Amino acid sequence: MSRDTVNAICATFPGAECSDPWGGGHDAWKVGGKMFACVGTQGTGVSVKTPDVETAQMLIEVGEAQKAPYFHRSWVLFPLDAGEDALRHRLEIAYDTIRAGLTKKLQNSLAPRE
């Protein structure tokens, strides 16, 4: 798995956009202006939003993820060497979590995720 694979997966989500808000080579994926995933400049993993702090803690405790540096406790860092299916699943959950928090008007303007 690579940065390119993460970017390819995220690009399939309706309304998802990539930016580099801090400069220096970050790939920050957002929907409705709110970030759901980010690959840092070192490219060793992808930080993703989880539905809550408890989910993030559980993923860390079972060894699937690490605490995401510089992010809130509801974010975790998945290594890029994780399986593609597992990573895709986590990216989908992160996207769906952020999308669900958008205004209904904005949610309705986005195509459904397939």
Side-chain angles (χ1 to χ4, degrees):
M1 178 94 32
S2 68
R3 174 188 295 263
D4 292 337
T5 305
V6 170
N7 288 341
I9 293 169
C10 290
T12 66
F13 300 147
E17 298 176 335
C18 186
S19 66
D20 186 3
W22 306 286
H26 295 84
D27 292 336
W29 283 93
K30 299 177 182 182
V31 61
K34 302 202 179 282
M35 189 165 45
F36 65 89
C38 184
V39 180
T41 57
Q42 295 179 353
T44 58
V46 58
S47 296
V48 297
K49 175 77 169 113
T50 64
D52 50 48
V53 173
E54 293 78 18
T55 301
Q57 189 62 39
M58 181 271 305
L59 291 168
I60 293 167
E61 287 174 4
V62 298
E64 287 190 31
Q66 303 171 0
K67 181 186 178 310
Y70 311 109
F71 285 92
H72 183 267
R73 293 183 312 140
S74 60
W75 284 73
V76 294
L77 177 70
F78 277 92
L80 289 181
D81 61 2
E84 185 172 343
D85 289 341
L87 193 52
R88 179 182 300 276
H89 176 69
R90 279 290 137 205
L91 289 167
E92 289 171 349
I93 290 171
Y95 171 84
D96 290 344
T97 298
I98 295 300
R99 182 176 171 155
L102 300 175
T103 65
K104 293 296 178 191
K105 182 177 180 179
L106 188 50
Q107 287 181 45
N108 291 335
S109 72
L110 299 171
R113 186 174 63 78
E114 297 177 13

